[in-house]
Amino acid sequence: MVRNIMKDIFFLSQKSEPATKADEGIIQDLLDTLQANMEHCVGMAANMIGERKRIIVVNMGMINIPMVNPVILKKEGEYETEEGCLSLTGVRTTKRYETIEVEYLDREFKKHKQKYTGWVAQIIQHEIDHCDGIII
């Protein structure tokens, strides 16, 4: 189901709780909501649809990938960039890393560890910031 985008700064600044298998409906709602906003959005976190769960979805070209309880294990190549967000007005300057290693569960709750670079790494970092209550 496509959900409304959360814009309440107080809600968005709260840390998300770990997701469980009981949160599978949130994963589908995130995928549906990202698909409905693909014209101006490349990733979403659960708090952007009003759910304080550690779930993100990321556009990786032709598919949108859900990541449950993602954690960045390694970061390399710091740089400064500007980002926008559906939940926030305007564009903000932030620090990101060119290469990251992420551990996460897929929607079947199987563990993965993967290295990401460039644009996809930037999207993942932005969405994990949402999970951590960081508003850039």
Side-chain angles (χ1 to χ4, degrees), residues 83-86 88-92 136:
E83 296 176 352
C85 181
L86 278 182
L88 306 169
T89 304
V91 175
R92 291 158 186 78
I136 58 154

Side-chain angles (χ1 to χ4, degrees), residues 4-15:
N4 292 328
I5 303 300
M6 171 63 66
K7 297 186 183 275
D8 182 305
I9 299 298
F10 177 75
F11 183 85
L12 293 168
S13 66
Q14 297 177 48
K15 279 192 165 196

Side-chain angles (χ1 to χ4, degrees), residues 19-22 27 68-69 105-111:
T20 67
K21 289 184 179 184
I27 297 170
V68 178
N69 299 325
L105 304 173
D106 63 22
R107 81 183 295 173
E108 283 79 38
F109 283 76
K110 292 180 185 164
K111 189 183 269 191

Side-chain angles (χ1 to χ4, degrees), residues 3-115:
R3 303 263 211 104
N4 292 328
I5 303 300
M6 171 63 66
K7 297 186 183 275
D8 182 305
I9 299 298
F10 177 75
F11 183 85
L12 293 168
S13 66
Q14 297 177 48
K15 279 192 165 196
S16 296
E17 299 170 0
T20 67
K21 289 184 179 184
D23 299 314
E24 187 168 351
I26 297 170
I27 297 170
Q28 189 59 53
D29 288 354
L30 264 177
L31 288 165
D32 294 344
T33 306
L34 177 59
Q35 188 62 44
N37 288 280
M38 286 300 292
E39 213 171 279
H40 24 268
C41 187
V42 291
M44 298 188 88
N47 68 353
M48 294 176 67
I49 61 168
E51 301 285 351
R52 280 191 23 218
K53 292 293 183 168
R54 196 168 181 87
I55 305 169
I56 67 173
V57 292
V58 178
N59 178 265
M60 295 193 190
M62 299 298 289
I63 58 171
N64 296 323
I65 303 292
M67 295 180 163
V68 178
N69 299 325
V71 177
I72 297 174
L73 303 173
K74 293 181 186 174
K75 308 180 231 185
E76 297 173 357
E78 184 178 312
Y79 66 97
E80 192 171 285
T81 189
E82 290 185 337
E83 296 176 352
C85 181
L86 278 182
S87 289
L88 306 169
T89 304
V91 175
R92 291 158 186 78
T93 301
T94 189
K95 289 183 182 172
R96 295 290 180 226
Y97 295 86
E98 181 63 32
T99 302
I100 59 173
E101 185 175 11
V102 181
E103 187 173 86
Y104 66 96
L105 304 173
D106 63 22
R107 81 183 295 173
E108 283 79 38
F109 283 76
K110 292 180 185 164
K111 189 183 269 191
H112 297 268
K113 186 162 48 168
Q114 180 73 41
K115 207 176 240 193

Side-chain angles (χ1 to χ4, degrees), residues 96-100 116-126:
R96 295 290 180 226
Y97 295 86
E98 181 63 32
T99 302
I100 59 173
Y116 296 95
T117 61
W119 179 239
V120 172
Q122 184 176 339
I123 299 165
I124 292 169
Q125 290 169 81
H126 179 101

